[in-house]
Tab-separated table of all heavy atoms in Angstrom:
chain	number	residue	atom	x	y	z
A	25	ASN	N	10.577	-21.474	3.477
A	25	ASN	CA	10.651	-21.536	4.938
A	25	ASN	C	9.997	-20.291	5.511
A	25	ASN	O	9.619	-19.363	4.787
A	25	ASN	CB	12.118	-21.683	5.430
A	25	ASN	CG	13.010	-20.522	5.087
A	25	ASN	OD1	12.572	-19.387	5.112
A	25	ASN	ND2	14.233	-20.816	4.746
A	26	SER	N	9.830	-20.226	6.796
A	26	SER	CA	9.113	-19.163	7.424
A	26	SER	C	9.776	-17.762	7.215
A	26	SER	O	9.085	-16.771	7.102
A	26	SER	CB	8.913	-19.418	8.909
A	26	SER	OG	10.173	-19.506	9.547
A	27	LYS	N	11.089	-17.716	7.097
A	27	LYS	CA	11.762	-16.435	6.899
A	27	LYS	C	11.436	-15.859	5.488
A	27	LYS	O	11.196	-14.679	5.353
A	27	LYS	CB	13.269	-16.593	7.063
A	27	LYS	CG	13.709	-16.801	8.474
A	27	LYS	CD	15.215	-16.916	8.543
A	27	LYS	CE	15.624	-17.183	9.999
A	27	LYS	NZ	17.097	-17.294	10.096
A	28	ILE	N	11.437	-16.716	4.517
A	28	ILE	CA	11.091	-16.275	3.156
A	28	ILE	C	9.645	-15.823	3.086
A	28	ILE	O	9.342	-14.775	2.520
A	28	ILE	CB	11.380	-17.391	2.134
A	28	ILE	CG1	12.883	-17.651	2.049
A	28	ILE	CG2	10.812	-17.024	0.777
A	28	ILE	CD1	13.256	-18.857	1.214
A	29	ILE	N	8.766	-16.582	3.687
A	29	ILE	CA	7.358	-16.241	3.669
A	29	ILE	C	7.143	-14.909	4.391
A	29	ILE	O	6.392	-14.031	3.866
A	29	ILE	CB	6.481	-17.374	4.289
A	29	ILE	CG1	6.546	-18.589	3.350
A	29	ILE	CG2	5.037	-16.918	4.499
A	29	ILE	CD1	5.932	-19.821	3.941
A	30	ARG	N	7.751	-14.710	5.561
A	30	ARG	CA	7.623	-13.446	6.283
A	30	ARG	C	8.146	-12.270	5.450
A	30	ARG	O	7.531	-11.207	5.403
A	30	ARG	CB	8.368	-13.520	7.603
A	30	ARG	CG	7.509	-14.031	8.743
A	30	ARG	CD	8.165	-13.750	10.092
A	30	ARG	NE	9.441	-14.432	10.200
A	30	ARG	CZ	9.681	-15.461	10.965
A	30	ARG	NH1	8.720	-15.921	11.739
A	30	ARG	NH2	10.842	-16.031	10.977
A	31	ALA	N	9.261	-12.453	4.771
A	31	ALA	CA	9.873	-11.384	3.977
A	31	ALA	C	8.915	-11.014	2.830
A	31	ALA	O	8.726	-9.824	2.526
A	31	ALA	CB	11.215	-11.839	3.419
A	32	ILE	N	8.286	-12.025	2.196
A	32	ILE	CA	7.355	-11.733	1.097
A	32	ILE	C	6.136	-10.984	1.620
A	32	ILE	O	5.707	-10.015	1.015
A	32	ILE	CB	6.970	-13.055	0.393
A	32	ILE	CG1	8.181	-13.603	-0.382
A	32	ILE	CG2	5.795	-12.819	-0.553
A	32	ILE	CD1	7.987	-14.980	-0.946
A	33	ILE	N	5.638	-11.415	2.756
A	33	ILE	CA	4.460	-10.733	3.347
A	33	ILE	C	4.785	-9.276	3.692
A	33	ILE	O	4.027	-8.358	3.397
A	33	ILE	CB	3.978	-11.485	4.569
A	33	ILE	CG1	3.334	-12.817	4.158
A	33	ILE	CG2	2.963	-10.648	5.387
A	33	ILE	CD1	2.965	-13.731	5.286
A	34	ILE	N	5.963	-9.025	4.241
A	34	ILE	CA	6.367	-7.663	4.595
A	34	ILE	C	6.508	-6.822	3.331
A	34	ILE	O	6.053	-5.668	3.275
A	34	ILE	CB	7.677	-7.675	5.409
A	34	ILE	CG1	7.363	-8.210	6.802
A	34	ILE	CG2	8.288	-6.272	5.478
A	34	ILE	CD1	8.624	-8.512	7.640
A	35	LEU	N	7.079	-7.368	2.261
A	35	LEU	CA	7.219	-6.649	1.007
A	35	LEU	C	5.869	-6.293	0.415
A	35	LEU	O	5.652	-5.185	-0.041
A	35	LEU	CB	8.062	-7.431	-0.003
A	35	LEU	CG	9.557	-7.474	0.225
A	35	LEU	CD1	10.206	-8.481	-0.693
A	35	LEU	CD2	10.134	-6.080	0.020
A	36	VAL	N	4.944	-7.243	0.401
A	36	VAL	CA	3.632	-6.994	-0.145
A	36	VAL	C	2.902	-5.971	0.683
A	36	VAL	O	2.258	-5.020	0.114
A	36	VAL	CB	2.806	-8.341	-0.238
A	36	VAL	CG1	1.361	-8.047	-0.554
A	36	VAL	CG2	3.449	-9.251	-1.260
A	37	MET	N	2.961	-6.056	1.984
A	37	MET	CA	2.254	-5.066	2.845
A	37	MET	C	2.902	-3.670	2.685
A	37	MET	O	2.178	-2.679	2.683
A	37	MET	CB	2.289	-5.540	4.280
A	37	MET	CG	1.413	-6.749	4.533
A	37	MET	SD	1.489	-7.394	6.202
A	37	MET	CE	0.723	-6.096	7.100
A	38	SER	N	4.195	-3.588	2.550
A	38	SER	CA	4.838	-2.302	2.344
A	38	SER	C	4.423	-1.690	1.026
A	38	SER	O	4.189	-0.486	0.957
A	38	SER	CB	6.375	-2.472	2.407
A	38	SER	OG	6.772	-2.928	3.640
A	39	ALA	N	4.374	-2.474	-0.001
A	39	ALA	CA	3.956	-1.972	-1.316
A	39	ALA	C	2.504	-1.487	-1.275
A	39	ALA	O	2.182	-0.413	-1.805
A	39	ALA	CB	4.103	-3.082	-2.397
A	40	ALA	N	1.653	-2.239	-0.623
A	40	ALA	CA	0.242	-1.834	-0.496
A	40	ALA	C	0.096	-0.531	0.276
A	40	ALA	O	-0.646	0.344	-0.066
A	40	ALA	CB	-0.571	-2.929	0.171
A	41	ALA	N	0.887	-0.375	1.342
A	41	ALA	CA	0.839	0.853	2.135
A	41	ALA	C	1.357	2.022	1.315
A	41	ALA	O	0.809	3.126	1.369
A	41	ALA	CB	1.687	0.668	3.413
A	42	ALA	N	2.400	1.802	0.511
A	42	ALA	CA	2.938	2.913	-0.311
A	42	ALA	C	1.925	3.352	-1.354
A	42	ALA	O	1.743	4.540	-1.587
A	42	ALA	CB	4.232	2.440	-1.009
A	43	VAL	N	1.217	2.390	-1.980
A	43	VAL	CA	0.192	2.738	-2.957
A	43	VAL	C	-0.958	3.496	-2.287
A	43	VAL	O	-1.426	4.522	-2.790
A	43	VAL	CB	-0.312	1.464	-3.685
A	43	VAL	CG1	-1.566	1.808	-4.497
A	43	VAL	CG2	0.762	0.908	-4.556
A	44	SER	N	-1.368	3.042	-1.112
A	44	SER	CA	-2.429	3.723	-0.391
A	44	SER	C	-2.021	5.116	0.005
A	44	SER	O	-2.770	6.076	-0.147
A	44	SER	CB	-2.749	2.893	0.871
A	44	SER	OG	-3.674	3.583	1.647
A	45	PHE	N	-0.792	5.291	0.472
A	45	PHE	CA	-0.291	6.619	0.860
A	45	PHE	C	-0.207	7.543	-0.341
A	45	PHE	O	-0.579	8.709	-0.271
A	45	PHE	CB	1.081	6.488	1.529
A	45	PHE	CG	1.652	7.792	1.961
A	45	PHE	CD1	1.135	8.432	3.105
A	45	PHE	CD2	2.629	8.407	1.245
A	45	PHE	CE1	1.624	9.657	3.494
A	45	PHE	CE2	3.150	9.635	1.621
A	45	PHE	CZ	2.637	10.277	2.767
A	46	ALA	N	0.250	7.050	-1.465
A	46	ALA	CA	0.386	7.861	-2.679
A	46	ALA	C	-0.959	8.366	-3.142
A	46	ALA	O	-1.092	9.457	-3.685
A	46	ALA	CB	1.076	7.063	-3.810
A	47	GLY	N	-2.026	7.585	-2.963
A	47	GLY	CA	-3.341	8.000	-3.395
A	47	GLY	C	-4.078	8.832	-2.376
A	47	GLY	O	-5.141	9.358	-2.668
A	48	ASP	N	-3.505	9.010	-1.204
A	48	ASP	CA	-4.135	9.771	-0.120
A	48	ASP	C	-3.909	11.248	-0.299
A	48	ASP	O	-2.782	11.682	-0.428
A	48	ASP	CB	-3.561	9.288	1.211
A	48	ASP	CG	-4.250	9.937	2.400
A	48	ASP	OD1	-5.371	10.472	2.222
A	48	ASP	OD2	-3.706	9.892	3.506
A	49	GLN	N	-4.943	12.014	-0.347
A	49	GLN	CA	-4.807	13.464	-0.469
A	49	GLN	C	-5.280	14.105	0.853
A	49	GLN	O	-6.289	14.732	0.942
A	49	GLN	CB	-5.706	13.960	-1.637
A	49	GLN	CG	-5.367	13.403	-2.978
A	49	GLN	CD	-3.979	13.793	-3.392
A	49	GLN	OE1	-3.546	14.914	-3.200
A	49	GLN	NE2	-3.241	12.861	-3.994
A	50	GLY	N	-4.463	13.885	1.920
A	50	GLY	CA	-4.785	14.499	3.174
A	50	GLY	C	-6.057	13.921	3.755
A	50	GLY	O	-6.794	14.632	4.453
A	51	GLY	N	-6.326	12.648	3.546
A	51	GLY	CA	-7.496	12.014	4.121
A	51	GLY	C	-8.756	12.271	3.291
A	51	GLY	O	-9.814	11.735	3.601
A	52	GLN	N	-8.644	13.034	2.205
A	52	GLN	CA	-9.787	13.289	1.329
A	52	GLN	C	-9.696	12.474	0.077
A	52	GLN	O	-8.589	12.315	-0.442
A	52	GLN	CB	-9.874	14.763	1.020
A	52	GLN	CG	-10.010	15.671	2.201
A	52	GLN	CD	-10.010	17.149	1.781
A	52	GLN	OE1	-9.898	17.471	0.607
A	52	GLN	NE2	-10.143	18.024	2.748
A	53	PRO	N	-10.809	11.970	-0.430
A	53	PRO	CA	-10.743	11.274	-1.702
A	53	PRO	C	-10.385	12.212	-2.837
A	53	PRO	O	-10.706	13.385	-2.782
A	53	PRO	CB	-12.136	10.721	-1.886
A	53	PRO	CG	-13.012	11.542	-0.975
A	53	PRO	CD	-12.134	12.050	0.119
A	54	GLN	N	-9.677	11.708	-3.834
A	54	GLN	CA	-9.321	12.485	-4.972
A	54	GLN	C	-10.568	12.907	-5.753
A	54	GLN	O	-11.462	12.097	-5.952
A	54	GLN	CB	-8.355	11.694	-5.870
A	54	GLN	CG	-7.634	12.566	-6.868
A	54	GLN	CD	-6.505	11.808	-7.510
A	54	GLN	OE1	-6.625	10.573	-7.750
A	54	GLN	NE2	-5.441	12.457	-7.853
A	55	GLN	N	-10.599	14.172	-6.162
A	55	GLN	CA	-11.762	14.675	-6.925
A	55	GLN	C	-11.740	14.092	-8.299
A	55	GLN	O	-10.761	14.071	-8.991
A	55	GLN	CB	-11.722	16.212	-6.980
A	55	GLN	CG	-12.915	16.795	-7.704
A	55	GLN	CD	-12.842	18.318	-7.790
A	55	GLN	OE1	-11.853	18.926	-7.471
A	55	GLN	NE2	-13.940	18.892	-8.273
A	56	VAL	N	-12.924	13.645	-8.753
A	56	VAL	CA	-13.122	13.116	-10.119
A	56	VAL	C	-14.208	13.941	-10.752
A	56	VAL	O	-15.310	14.113	-10.235
A	56	VAL	CB	-13.531	11.615	-10.063
A	56	VAL	CG1	-13.819	11.100	-11.495
A	56	VAL	CG2	-12.473	10.779	-9.409
A	57	ILE	N	-13.878	14.478	-11.946
A	57	ILE	CA	-14.848	15.260	-12.698
A	57	ILE	C	-15.166	14.478	-13.974
A	57	ILE	O	-14.287	14.144	-14.758
A	57	ILE	CB	-14.298	16.651	-13.058
A	57	ILE	CG1	-13.989	17.419	-11.766
A	57	ILE	CG2	-15.236	17.419	-13.959
A	57	ILE	CD1	-13.285	18.737	-11.963
A	58	LYS	N	-16.450	14.217	-14.178
A	58	LYS	CA	-16.870	13.439	-15.381
A	58	LYS	C	-17.217	14.395	-16.501
A	58	LYS	O	-17.954	15.374	-16.313
A	58	LYS	CB	-18.068	12.561	-15.009
A	58	LYS	CG	-17.733	11.514	-14.010
A	58	LYS	CD	-18.915	10.641	-13.655
A	58	LYS	CE	-18.546	9.703	-12.530
A	58	LYS	NZ	-18.434	8.346	-12.924
């Protein structure tokens, strides 16, 4: 039903935002040295 679908969408978007925030270093990309 629409409530379950909305809840799943909110969970997925929250998880994506958390991963994005965790990888954010003050707006700068993380330095990679080869």
Side-chain angles (χ1 to χ4, degrees):
N25 65 37
S26 61
K27 288 181 182 181
I28 293 172
I29 293 171
R30 270 195 298 252
I32 291 171
I33 290 171
I34 289 170
L35 284 171
V36 169
M37 290 176 69
S38 296
V43 169
S44 174
F45 180 75
D48 185 17
Q49 300 296 320
Q52 298 177 0
Q54 195 169 35
Q55 182 181 9
V56 176
I57 299 173
K58 295 180 185 250

